Amino acid sequence: MSDTMQSLDQLAALKTAAPQAPKYTKKVDKQGRAYATGKRKDAVARVWVKPGSGKIVVNTREVEIYFARPVLRMLIQQPLVAAARQGQYDVTCTVTGGGLSGQAGAVRHGLSKALTNFEPELRGVLKKGGFLTRDSRVVERKKYGKAKARRSFQFSKR
């Protein structure tokens, strides 16, 4: 406490360096694929991404066959469209649990994470689009004494 600052230069020299933003590196396996896990509701998707012609395979089936509804296919394509990488990567994924909507959301989440593992510079674009955030909403459990999670049984006076 006996040391007193005589000038602002001495104060600037005392200041420590600001912590640097974390540097993200490319994470690729021996086959040149990036891997990530995506989750949504009860669905879990394991996603592998590698450079290719834009083919998407879900549970050994084409995406058009597995996700018949156009809305679900559009949902899966969103990270590739946002990153302007349509037709540049082959995507292979296995999905379990939940329904089709949750599975499509899980594939989208996993695809976004796998793209950031393959190309770390895409992280800003995907983060801004909200594709890297895990949607934590899940079904509330049923309670005893209730018909569902919150709904009571029908009231009867007699």
Side-chain angles (χ1 to χ4, degrees):
M1 291 301 282
S2 63
D3 294 343
T4 56
M5 298 291 155
Q6 299 298 325
S7 69
L8 288 175
D9 294 331
Q10 289 175 331
L11 185 65
L14 213 126
K15 188 173 111 177
T16 58
Q20 292 289 326
K23 297 282 186 234
Y24 296 99
T25 58
K26 186 175 179 177
K27 296 184 187 90
V28 180
D29 65 4
K30 291 173 186 156
Q31 285 92 20
R33 304 175 302 181
Y35 169 78
T37 305
K39 296 182 179 181
R40 171 83 168 90
K41 293 187 179 180
D42 266 345
V44 179
R46 301 185 305 158
V47 182
W48 290 269
V49 171
K50 66 179 181 180
S53 59
K55 188 175 164 187
I56 300 176
V57 178
V58 182
N59 290 354
T60 67
R61 285 186 265 174
E62 293 292 322
V63 71
E64 291 81 18
I65 296 167
Y66 194 84
F67 293 113
R69 294 201 313 239
V71 174
L72 299 179
R73 288 197 301 269
M74 181 265 302
L75 195 77
I76 293 169
Q77 292 285 339
Q78 281 179 335
L80 294 168
V81 172
R85 298 290 189 273
Q86 269 187 308
Q88 295 181 20
Y89 290 107
D90 285 343
V91 180
T92 307
C93 52
T94 57
V95 195
T96 57
L100 283 178
S101 175
Q103 287 185 352
V107 170
R108 181 179 92 156
H109 184 228
L111 177 58
S112 306
K113 286 169 64 176
L115 279 174
T116 57
N117 286 343
F118 200 87
E119 282 188 71
E121 60 270 10
L122 293 178
R123 182 173 170 81
V125 175
L126 294 172
K127 183 98 172 142
K128 199 167 283 180
F131 301 121
L132 297 176
T133 306
R134 200 277 202 215
D135 191 351
S136 60
R137 295 176 296 172
V138 291
V139 177
E140 190 175 343
R141 78 169 190 87
K142 184 197 178 301
K143 280 76 167 189
Y144 57 87
K146 297 279 187 180
K148 293 169 73 175
R150 298 188 180 194
R151 191 198 186 299
S152 298
F153 293 112
Q154 184 172 350
F155 175 75
S156 172
K157 196 175 240 185
R158 291 180 235 322

